[in-house]
Structure formats: structure tokens, C-alpha cells
Amino acid sequence: MSRVHDMGGRFGDGPVIPEAEGEVFHEDWHKRALALTLASGSLGKWNIDISRHARECLAPTDYAAFSYYEKWMAGLADLLVARDVLTREELSGGAVGATDLAEKMLTSAKVPAVLAAGGPSDRPTTTPAQFAPGDAVITRAIAENTLVDGGHTRLPMYGAGARGRILRVHGNHVLPDSSAHGLGDGAEPLYAVVFEASELWAHPEHPRDEVVLDLWQSYLLPQ
Amino acid sequence: MPHDSHDHDHPHTLLPPDPALRIKALETILTQKGLVDPAALDVIIDTYETKIGPRNGAAVVAKAWVDPDFHAHLLSDATAAVSNLGFYGRQGEHMVAVENTPTTHNIVVCTLCSCYPWPLLGIPPTWYKSDAYRARVVREPRKVLADFGVALGPDMAVRVWDSTAEVRYLVIPMRPTGTDGWSEEALADIVTRDSMIGTGVVNAQ
């Protein structure tokens, strides 16, 4: 019922190893992986939700074994083929064919404007906000995409079936469960929902600790 | 019901096994096909190595500490407040600032991937993207803080923000005592990246 990336609350991981602030990239190829991923995104063949899902769809053994930028690279290679940008033969080192996508190539002159423009996810919608700050809600009992079997969702397993309350209303945002699968933006109201740690974990560290999740309206029911 | 179709026969396995060679191969194929400009990659890298990083966030925090109007604007509409300072862009389109107090300490994570406010903090550190941080900080934030050498008093509650959407959170750490009269620049110098994620606190040095 889950994918390997959904690891919030998992037991068994070791210590977190702090790192000095000045270390941005540890290897030259890390830089190229980040930049290649951003540049390829400008071809317009996928959105952020599709690219996240591509990484999540790595085999669990690969996901666990790959370093961070290896996951990015694998997700990118898979997407380039899935979206007909490259063929499997080209990826294998075969002759490179012609493309009608070249006009979309991100040139160096365009980079500053593209990075500065970002890609806002707020959208107008006719779906009215069902909840207001302070309202008691409960999340869907099953943390799965209800539109696509095995599809992308942003409700973590540890937050499924949990009772919380609305902390903030973020406005209306693209629904990743829809957007990751070419089913349209499906924009809905998005909320910050706060949960007592004791609602989520059997042995919370402190009675007043809390966890906040950003959750779409269709993930929530009134409590 | 449609089924997800990515589960089998992954094309990435066609690339060389060594990660550095794998990336070089992919860059070469895309460049030969006219889809990627290597000079654009250099500009992207230079942007995140030298222009965009945690000093942006530190400037925001320092300003919030000394300027009550900015502080109020930052808490009510962080996106607008930081945009006015020139900090906007990819992975920072929807900002929310959360403030530490003597009774509440905030920490940010993305348990599902690695969401992070790039325009204010740059590219996230390796630990932020690690399985250990993603898995543990929502369940045992104090043990994770101990890994960073930070201990919270018994009266402090922890609020962990899991960035499941495109909203990006910036922690405003508590201003340390002994910094009255400090300039904005001097204050920015003591604001650490980790303090703006919530795995650190700011100390007057």
C-alpha cells in the first residue's frame, strides 16, 4: 500500500550527521545532476508532481541504495523515455535522432529569469473552502491516491486516519494526486493541519509536541 | 481505474553504473540532441553555489529582529515580505514564516522528498535529504536535535512542520540575549542555516 519514499516515523535509521554551512555540493557530478534536472524540466514535458512521482517509482532496492542525486538522475532518465524525449536506444548510447523539442532548450541567457520566476502552485477553483482555522478534522484512513492505483499522493502514511485541527488556510493549490498523472490541476483548498504527537506516535517525546502537515481538502473529513 | 505504469523495466538501468559516468552520459546525449545547453548548466550551478544560499534567509531573520513592521509583515505574508527584499523564485513561491518562542520550538522537514525554501536557504544540506532525518524528526525531534548538540528545556514544546505541499517554511529563531544595539548586518552574521530549519539555535558569539 505504500512506496519506499514515504518514510516519516520509520524506525531503524541511524544518527543525523550535521554538515558545515558552506558545503553545497560534495561531488562535481552532484552539481551536474541538479542542473541537468532543472534544465530538462524547461522542456515542458512534465511538472513537479510528475517528477516527484518518477523518483518515488524507483524500485525500493534502488531507492534505498541510491544517493540523493542518483535518485534524481534515475528519475530523470526514466521520465525522458516515458515522455518520448529520448528513446531507450539513445539512452543506451545509440545514435541520437532528431527532435522537435530543441526550441524549448534552456539557454544560459534564460536561466536567471527562469529560476527567478519560479512556478507558483496556487490556482483559482470553484471548490469552496470547507474548513476554517480551529476546525477539527480527520484525515483519510488510507494514504493512497484515490484517482490512480499506486499513484502519487502527499498524505504520508503516518498521517492517515489521524485527528487534527486546521491551523492555517493556504488558499487553493494544484492537487498533486491529479497533476502527477496528467489528470489536470484539480485545484483544491490547502490547509496546514496540526496533530498532537500523541495522535501519531505511541511514545511521543513530550506531551505538548505537535506535527503540522499541509493537506488538501479531499484528504480531510470533518471530525 | 488507471494504473501507474512506472513500476517495471526502468530505462535508467541502461545508463552506466558509475554515477559520475551516468550523469556525464545523460548530459552528453541531451546536449547532442540539442535539448540541453552545457553553459546553462554552468549558470544554474553558479547561481546556487555563489548567489543563492542561507545568507539570504539570515538577512530576513535579522531584519525581522530589528524592524517591527517587517516582522509583522513577515508573519502575516512571508511571500510578499521576502519578495520585497528580492528573494523569490523556484522552490520559494509560497513562503510561511514560523517563529520560535520561549515555549515553542519549530523544526522543518519534508518526509516525502526534500522540499526546502531555495531562494532563502539555497540547496539543502545532505542531512536534510537523508533517510535518517526524514524518518526520525517527526517522531523523535529531541533525539534528532541531540545529534546537532541542541537540548531543549522541559517547558519547550516542539512543532514539526512536514512540507507536504509547495508551501515552504522558514523558522525565525529567537534572538539571543546580549545582542541589544547590534546592527542588522552583525545579527545576520550569527544566524545559522540550521537555526532557520530548526535544528539549531542562535547564540551570540
Side-chain angles (χ1 to χ4, degrees):
Chain A
M1 72 180 272
S2 66
R3 288 192 187 273
V4 61
H5 71 283
D6 185 359
M7 60 182 69
R10 180 175 73 186
F11 289 93
D13 288 280
V16 179
I17 313 294
E19 172 177 279
E21 187 165 307
E23 298 181 44
V24 182
F25 298 107
H26 292 273
E27 305 281 351
D28 279 345
W29 66 264
H30 293 178
K31 309 175 187 184
R32 303 311 281 183
L34 174 100
L36 199 58
T37 300
L38 295 188
S40 301
S42 286
L43 298 172
K45 300 293 277 185
W46 55 80
N47 59 41
I48 191 166
D49 300 307
I50 292 170
S51 63
R52 285 193 184 122
H53 189 54
R55 290 170 209 148
E56 294 166 8
C57 284
L58 293 173
T61 46
D62 283 343
Y63 193 96
F66 282 176
S67 66
Y68 181 75
Y69 286 115
E70 284 180 274
K71 295 185 185 81
W72 276 42
M73 245 336 72
L76 175 60
D78 291 347
L79 267 184
L80 287 165
V81 172
R83 299 277 151 172
D84 298 323
V85 180
L86 295 182
T87 63
R88 298 179 69 95
E89 291 67 34
E90 287 172 330
L91 210 54
S92 309
V96 170
T99 177
D100 56 4
L101 267 180
E103 65 187 31
K104 297 278 186 80
M105 184 182 75
L106 179 67
T107 60
S108 57
K110 289 189 215 160
V111 169
V114 166
L115 296 182
S121 64
D122 54 332
R123 299 284 187 282
T125 178
T126 54
T127 305
Q130 191 182 344
F131 306 111
D135 286 356
V137 294
I138 185 164
T139 54
R140 283 204 312 240
I142 301 173
E144 286 189 13
N145 187 319
T146 58
L147 306 171
V148 178
D149 191 16
H152 178 72
T153 189
R154 298 297 276 183
L155 173 60
M157 251 190 319
Y158 79 82
R163 293 165 299 170
R165 66 185 160 79
I166 303 291
L167 192 62
R168 306 178 65 114
V169 182
H170 290 306
N172 303 309
H173 284 251
V174 172
L175 177 67
D177 307 51
S178 175
S179 166
H181 300 282
L183 302 175
D185 285 347
E188 292 184 2
L190 175 71
Y191 306 92
V193 184
V194 61
F195 302 88
E196 293 181 7
S198 57
E199 175 71 10
L200 304 173
W201 320 114
H203 303 279
E205 287 185 318
H206 189 282
R208 289 199 297 116
D209 284 356
E210 296 171 326
V211 177
V212 182
L213 293 169
D214 285 334
L215 299 172
W216 280 262
Q217 184 158 290
S218 61
Y219 296 1
L220 304 171
L221 296 165
Q223 194 188 136
Chain B
M1 176 177 281
H3 284 254
D4 178 78
S5 59
H6 296 288
D7 276 340
H8 307 291
D9 203 17
H10 289 96
H12 71 84
T13 57
L14 300 168
L15 290 165
D18 176 75
L21 292 178
R22 195 179 307 164
I23 284 150
K24 184 68 186 164
L26 194 52
E27 182 180 334
T28 302
I29 297 163
L30 287 165
T31 304
Q32 284 177 351
K33 207 170 162 79
L35 297 175
V36 158
D37 171 11
L41 305 187
D42 293 337
V43 177
I44 293 169
I45 292 164
D46 180 63
T47 302
Y48 291 109
E49 278 193 321
T50 67
K51 295 184 172 64
I52 297 179
R55 295 301 88 206
N56 292 355
V60 169
V61 168
K63 190 170 190 62
W65 282 347
V66 301
D67 180 340
D69 290 340
F70 179 77
H71 179 261
H73 195 201
L74 185 63
L75 287 179
S76 65
D77 185 352
T79 310
V82 303
S83 292
N84 289 346
L85 298 181
F87 305 133
Y88 180 83
R90 188 174 287 239
Q91 289 298 310
E93 296 91 344
H94 308 284
M95 287 300 311
V96 168
V98 295
E99 188 171 42
N100 286 345
T101 70
T103 56
T104 301
H105 182 86
N106 295 280
I107 306 179
V108 184
V109 64
C110 171
T111 62
L112 297 174
C113 47
S114 56
C115 300
Y116 191 76
W118 291 9
L120 293 179
L121 299 186
I123 300 299
T126 301
W127 59 259
Y128 185 85
K129 302 176 282 200
S130 70
D131 287 8
Y133 185 70
R134 290 165 54 188
R136 291 179 54 211
V137 77
V138 282
R139 185 171 46 78
E140 46 183 27
R142 288 154 209 272
K143 290 196 179 79
V144 170
L145 283 170
D147 289 343
F148 286 85
V150 175
L152 298 181
D155 296 336
M156 292 282 273
V158 173
R159 180 176 267 182
V160 183
W161 300 79
D162 188 353
S163 299
T164 35
E166 301 305 330
V167 178
R168 300 286 167 264
Y169 294 92
L170 178 77
V171 175
I172 309 175
M174 281 196 290
R175 179 173 175 169
T177 55
T179 58
D180 291 351
W182 284 33
S183 71
E184 214 172 298
E185 292 72 24
L187 289 167
D189 282 344
I190 61 169
V191 176
T192 62
R193 173 196 62 204
D194 292 2
S195 73
M196 295 182 280
I197 303 171
T199 54
V201 294
V202 178
N203 298 302
Q205 291 161 339

